[in-house]
Amino acid sequence: MTSENIGLEKSGGLRAILLAGLTAGALDITAASVNLWIIAEKSPLWTFQSVAGGLLGSEKTHNGGYGTAALGLAIHFFIALTAAAIYYLASRKLKFMVSQAVLSGMLYGIFVWLFMNLIVLPLTPLKITYAFGSVVTGLIIHILCIGLPIALIIRRFSK
């Protein structure tokens, strides 16, 4: 399958995916870092390392210094870029995802949160517990910092 077959060249799809993924990734990691700093007094370095914990486990990752923080950031942006690519590709077939970008983006943010928390995280060595406040905060962050930016940027490049 070439990039022409999925519309990447014709509509600036690669630029749309990169901008949407990098924007969502930056907004999400910033929101998570600020939230954890305020709520749990954890540094952004700790937040970045926590993402790497999905591969390395919690104990190993927090003893890894800047190396595991860099790994966590790389993993985080890979996930954000993947989320943007999936939205972009789905929006080529499901046109309402472009025409109704705000609603679609909000729903996509919820979908991404559900996918990460019900499918991805249970497959990692991390032991995750959920408090009502963290679920609400996580959903709000995913709606505002992931779903909406991805949908709005994809819409912008789809015109």
Side-chain angles (χ1 to χ4, degrees), residues 2 7 11 16 39 48 52 60 65 73-74 76 92-95 101 104 109 113 123 137 139-140 146-147 150 154:
T2 68
S11 66
I39 301 297
F48 304 160
K60 202 175 198 180
L73 274 177
H76 174 75
R92 302 303 89 184
K93 297 291 183 193
L94 305 171
K95 300 298 183 186
S104 296
W113 186 90
L123 296 173
T137 302
L139 283 167
I140 291 170
I146 297 175
I150 288 173
I154 298 300

Side-chain angles (χ1 to χ4, degrees), residues 54 79 112-125:
I79 292 168
V112 170
W113 186 90
L114 289 169
F115 184 81
M116 291 301 297
N117 285 277
L118 299 179
I119 296 173
V120 174
L121 288 175
L123 296 173
T124 72

